[in-house]
Amino acid sequence: MTAGIDVAAAALAPAQAGILPEGLNVSFKLLPAILVSGMLAIFLAIGYVFKVADTEGMWVAGRSIGNVENGMAIGANWMSAASYLGMAALIATSGFYGLSFVVGWSTGYFILLIFMAAQMRRFGKYTAPDFVGDRFNSDTARAIGAVTTFLIGFVYAIGQARGMGLVGLYIFGDLGLLGLSGYQSMVVAMMAITVGYLTLSGMLGATKNMAVQYVILIVAFLAGLYVVGFTNGYSTVLPHIEYGALFSELGREFSEPFVNQGYYLWIATAFSLVVGTCGLPHVLVRFYTVENERTARWSTVWGLGFICLLYLSAPAFAAFGTDLYANQIGPVYQTAESAGMTTAAGDVIVVLAAQLSNLPTWFVGFVAAGGIAAAIATTAGLFITGSSAISHDIYKNLINEDATQRQQVFVGRLSIVALGVITTLAALDPAAPIAALVSYAFSLAGAVLFPMFFLGLWWENTNRQGALAGMTTGLVIWTIPMINEVVPAYGILAEAAGSDEVLSATLAQWVPAIGSALIAVPLVFVVTIAVSLATPEPPKETKQMVRQCHSPEPMGQQQTAEDAVTGDDGPAPADD
Amino acid sequence: MTDNDTHDSTDEPTAAADGGVASAGQAHAETDYLGSEVNLLKPSTPFMRDHLRIIWTGFAVWAVVVFAPVTATVLAPGAMTTTMPVIGFPLHYFLVAIGAPGGALILAFWYARKRDELDEKYGIEHGGDGA
């Protein structure tokens, strides 16, 4: 039994020196290229129009965002290439196992809602390093939080780069840069565009208007689904249910449980994605701009609704794509004569489905452009979060406390370039499909940050020592399977790895990199609680901050839990 | 395992002895939230008790919605993979692909409503937008 799709993908990797999705029409297409540029230009223009002058402006004006708009922002923030391309890909290639991604990435929001959303809003700190540093009164905890945030940004972005590279092939063709393969040239080009987009949006002071971004992405995805379903006679008004009629025609691997992966991996993956959802720094930030804790709750409900729109559509899209592939290209699943659909073709199944339906180029390009826009926008956000963790939490707080604004900005830019370079390098020969790459980031967020957020908010006696011990444990448990399964795929330690490209098959089976949080979370909880019990309790002020997060008493709009405890009402008067 | 003798001694719950309080609103007025311990497993205020009851109920239903269908599919593959009438889905596929995300959405709505009712019960009003 193999231990993860990443393993299967890694086994394929050496054969496909240039990753190429079979069946995809690779050539430069003018209209789609204009559409991609157009979408990015719209994001920038809207951001510019709604731009906020300074942080102070964002603090004041930003805090008035309502339920629906913030819900859309949650949706846009969430939808990266992993949702847009990767999820349908795994459903197509791994069948029932792919559904663990649908489940993990959507139902996690309920856990976020009942345990954390409103409490986080009341705590009033919105970056992971800030929360961890202030809650546990520790600069070391802040530093670990910052390093974790940076790592999450990096790992998450590898998947995005893979998505951009693959879909970019349809739109821009094989660029043939410097002896790189078509896919690799595209990764380099797309990452350059992303860093350019980032610089532009920074220069324009554009905080992305995520509500509009959500609308554009969901329209591109749903239009693709409806048109593909209609033109092929699969569906009419509700493809989300109508694809049920296809099950008898699709291979048994599409729906039969546990033929591709076992029960344990299914549960490990879903669990990891759920806790990862609750631990991701860029999800947390979404509660920064809402009016009050009630808005935080309701916008989470709306956000989940907007996310479900895409998540209920992805399996239908995968079913249509799989059927079209089987009819026009070849067997989807491995047979004696054929290797079946490659993970590269899987990762573009959404675009491939539109192309195989003989739809006009501009329309296929529209669907593809949505995927690229999702990837670029998410990567830009991840890089900003990652670089601010370095420039603000590590450089300013730990290395050079007297850093000037200019020095900070310089360090921030440097970290963005560093992130761009290492992401590009890691994505040239990626170890796994998009969704698997992104889930490594979820495992990390789930293993290190989720337990800190959860215990930090729900048990006031969690203290600095407990947090440090817990976060270290989480980082170690996350790193071990990454070295075991993912690092050998990059040629490091490859000679130590077996024919299945993992160092230990048993370890890969029970602590898979894709779902390592299933093992990590309980252990981190035990370590954090045990160490907290064995060491002195946190100071009274810290406990009161936690209590303030749970009090039903309304707080001033710009008040943090810390203000409330120290008797500071914040810039706006509190209610009583 | 180290003994836990430094704990839970300084901050006794203050609202524990509220015996026959007339209304939730009055209990709320009398509660010192900043003086009451926060412990997921040991709610120390009437509000926290009520809130956690909702949270745990939701969590239990969520766990069933998310993990029961896939577990049932391991235990009884035959029954779970039967084709559903009309829509043609195998049962397990439907429950996981549509049941779980849809269920989480309904639960989320339920929780947000319940939590609003709790505010009402304790006479708490949030400023700002109404919806």
Side-chain angles (χ1 to χ4, degrees):
Chain A
M1 190 178 135
T2 55
I5 28 176
D6 39 329
V7 178
L12 287 172
Q16 31 172 258
I19 300 173
L20 186 66
E22 68 276 10
L24 190 74
N25 176 355
V26 176
S27 63
F28 178 80
K29 301 175 189 68
L30 184 62
L31 277 175
I34 293 174
L35 276 168
V36 172
S37 326
M39 274 193 196
L40 292 173
I42 290 176
F43 292 171
L44 284 176
I46 290 166
Y48 184 69
V49 170
F50 286 93
K51 90 170 189 173
V52 286
D54 47 34
T55 11
E56 205 62 31
M58 188 162 88
W59 194 249
V60 179
R63 282 281 180 104
S64 56
I65 292 178
N67 295 335
V68 179
E69 199 190 334
N70 195 49
M72 284 189 179
I74 289 176
N77 204 14
W78 188 244
M79 284 201 301
S80 67
S83 296
Y84 199 99
L85 305 165
M87 205 161 47
L90 275 185
I91 295 167
T93 55
S94 302
F96 185 65
Y97 173 68
L99 293 185
S100 64
F101 289 79
V102 176
V103 169
W105 279 337
S106 58
T107 64
Y109 268 91
F110 180 68
I111 300 301
L112 184 66
L113 168 67
I114 60 175
F115 288 115
M116 287 156 57
Q119 289 81 359
M120 272 295 179
R121 174 65 186 81
R122 291 181 71 90
F123 195 89
K125 295 292 156 66
Y126 303 94
T127 71
D130 266 351
F131 177 87
V132 179
D134 288 3
R135 168 63 181 84
F136 302 113
N137 315 302
S138 161
D139 274 345
T140 317
R142 182 189 294 270
I144 300 179
V147 169
T148 309
T149 303
F150 185 84
L151 264 179
I152 289 173
F154 165 54
V155 177
Y156 208 114
I158 303 173
Q160 310 304 322
R162 176 176 159 112
M164 292 188 251
L166 287 171
V167 173
L169 283 174
Y170 176 83
I171 296 178
F172 300 105
D174 185 343
L175 299 177
L177 297 177
L178 301 162
L180 296 173
S181 73
Y183 160 78
Q184 290 173 329
S185 312
M186 196 48 65
V187 169
V188 173
M190 290 312 244
M191 288 305 290
I193 293 177
T194 306
V195 173
Y197 174 79
L198 209 59
T199 319
L200 263 183
S201 67
M203 269 164 35
L204 295 176
T207 47
K208 298 168 290 176
N209 187 319
M210 308 236 275
V212 177
Q213 211 171 318
Y214 171 80
V215 172
I216 293 176
L217 298 185
I218 198 74
V219 165
F221 196 85
L222 287 180
L225 174 67
Y226 271 90
V227 172
V228 167
F230 190 78
T231 51
N232 293 289
Y234 294 131
S235 64
T236 50
V237 288
L238 199 60
H240 313 82
I241 295 289
E242 287 174 89
Y243 74 97
L246 274 179
F247 277 98
S248 49
E249 291 162 41
L250 300 168
R252 59 180 270 279
E253 289 91 340
F254 188 82
S255 64
E256 202 170 299
F258 316 123
V259 288
N260 302 296
Q261 301 297 341
Y263 173 70
Y264 179 79
L265 189 68
W266 203 105
I267 296 290
T269 308
F271 180 87
S272 227
L273 299 179
V274 166
V275 291
T277 305
C278 303
L280 276 178
H282 74 282
V283 173
L284 206 66
V285 179
R286 284 297 102 221
F287 300 113
Y288 176 68
T289 44
V290 297
E291 177 116 30
N292 57 39
E293 50 172 305
R294 185 162 179 269
T295 320
R297 282 194 294 272
W298 278 106
S299 61
T300 311
V301 180
W302 279 100
L304 178 54
F306 290 130
I307 289 165
C308 278
L309 266 184
L310 185 104
Y311 281 33
L312 295 175
S313 309
F317 223 143
F320 298 163
T322 307
D323 195 54
L324 289 163
Y325 185 100
N327 293 339
Q328 296 184 35
I329 298 181
V332 176
Y333 303 103
Q334 199 172 0
T335 61
E337 301 84 49
S338 150
M341 193 195 297
T342 61
T343 56
D347 274 340
V348 294
I349 192 78
V350 165
V351 179
L352 207 50
Q355 183 203 309
L356 295 177
S357 304
N358 293 319
L359 296 169
T361 318
W362 68 265
F363 186 81
V364 184
F366 179 54
V367 176
I372 290 190
I376 291 183
T378 304
T379 310
L382 288 167
F383 281 12
I384 288 173
T385 318
S387 80
S388 84
I390 296 295
S391 66
H392 176 73
D393 297 301
I394 292 197
Y395 181 69
K396 173 86 162 61
N397 268 305
L398 297 176
I399 298 175
N400 180 3
E401 283 189 21
D402 308 319
T404 62
Q405 190 75 21
R406 268 186 72 171
Q407 285 172 312
Q408 275 194 74
V409 168
F410 178 72
V411 172
R413 290 214 175 117
L414 214 60
S415 356
I416 286 183
V417 172
L419 266 170
V421 171
I422 57 175
T423 304
T424 307
L425 289 177
L428 287 181
D429 207 353
I434 301 169
L437 289 167
V438 169
S439 10
Y440 303 150
F442 277 74
S443 291
L444 177 58
V448 178
L449 296 176
F450 166 72
M452 295 310 116
F453 295 165
F454 190 92
L455 286 172
L457 288 172
W458 281 99
W459 186 45
E460 62 177 32
N461 286 338
T462 318
N463 64 13
R464 175 194 307 161
Q465 293 86 339
L468 291 176
M471 289 169 88
T472 314
T473 311
L475 270 175
V476 169
I477 300 179
W478 177 77
T479 309
I480 292 171
M482 288 300 285
I483 293 176
N484 186 38
E485 293 172 46
V486 182
V487 169
Y490 288 102
I492 304 157
L493 293 173
E495 51 302 344
S499 56
D500 49 0
E501 298 229 353
V502 299
L503 300 176
S504 157
T506 318
L507 184 68
Q509 184 179 340
W510 295 107
V511 191
I514 207 167
S516 56
L518 180 65
I519 302 295
V521 167
L523 281 173
V524 172
F525 267 72
V526 168
V527 167
T528 309
I529 293 172
V531 172
S532 294
L533 287 176
T535 46
E537 292 187 16
K540 183 110 182 147
E541 295 72 44
T542 305
K543 290 184 173 196
Q544 287 186 334
M545 240 152 66
V546 179
R547 291 167 189 171
Q548 178 62 28
C549 294
H550 292 276
S551 160
E553 211 73 69
M555 292 168 73
Q557 205 188 46
Q558 285 154 50
Q559 209 184 8
T560 66
E562 197 179 354
D563 298 334
V565 170
T566 53
D568 181 354
D569 280 349
D575 288 53
D576 59 341
Chain B
M1 194 58 69
T2 322
D3 202 11
N4 152 29
D5 51 32
T6 60
H7 278 261
D8 306 329
S9 48
T10 48
D11 303 294
E12 280 308 313
T14 53
D18 63 356
V21 171
S23 73
Q26 194 183 338
H28 168 62
E30 288 170 2
T31 304
D32 171 17
Y33 288 100
L34 287 187
S36 310
E37 189 192 3
V38 170
N39 182 336
L40 179 67
L41 306 176
K42 239 177 18 188
S44 60
T45 65
F47 175 81
M48 183 70 111
R49 255 194 297 280
D50 282 351
H51 189 196
L52 275 174
R53 195 170 302 134
I54 299 171
I55 290 179
W56 287 126
T57 310
F59 181 73
V61 178
W62 174 86
V64 170
V65 166
V66 172
F67 293 112
V70 58
T71 307
T73 307
V74 179
L75 301 175
M80 289 300 291
T81 51
T82 42
T83 302
M84 296 168 74
V86 187
I87 57 173
F89 276 83
L91 182 60
H92 73 288
Y93 202 95
F94 182 83
L95 288 178
V96 172
I98 295 175
L105 181 58
I106 293 167
L107 273 173
F109 184 76
W110 168 85
Y111 168 80
R113 282 275 302 277
K114 276 285 185 192
R115 182 62 184 71
D116 279 355
E117 283 169 19
L118 213 54
D119 274 346
E120 214 165 283
K121 178 178 165 189
Y122 284 84
I124 293 152
E125 270 175 51
H126 291 284
D129 68 325

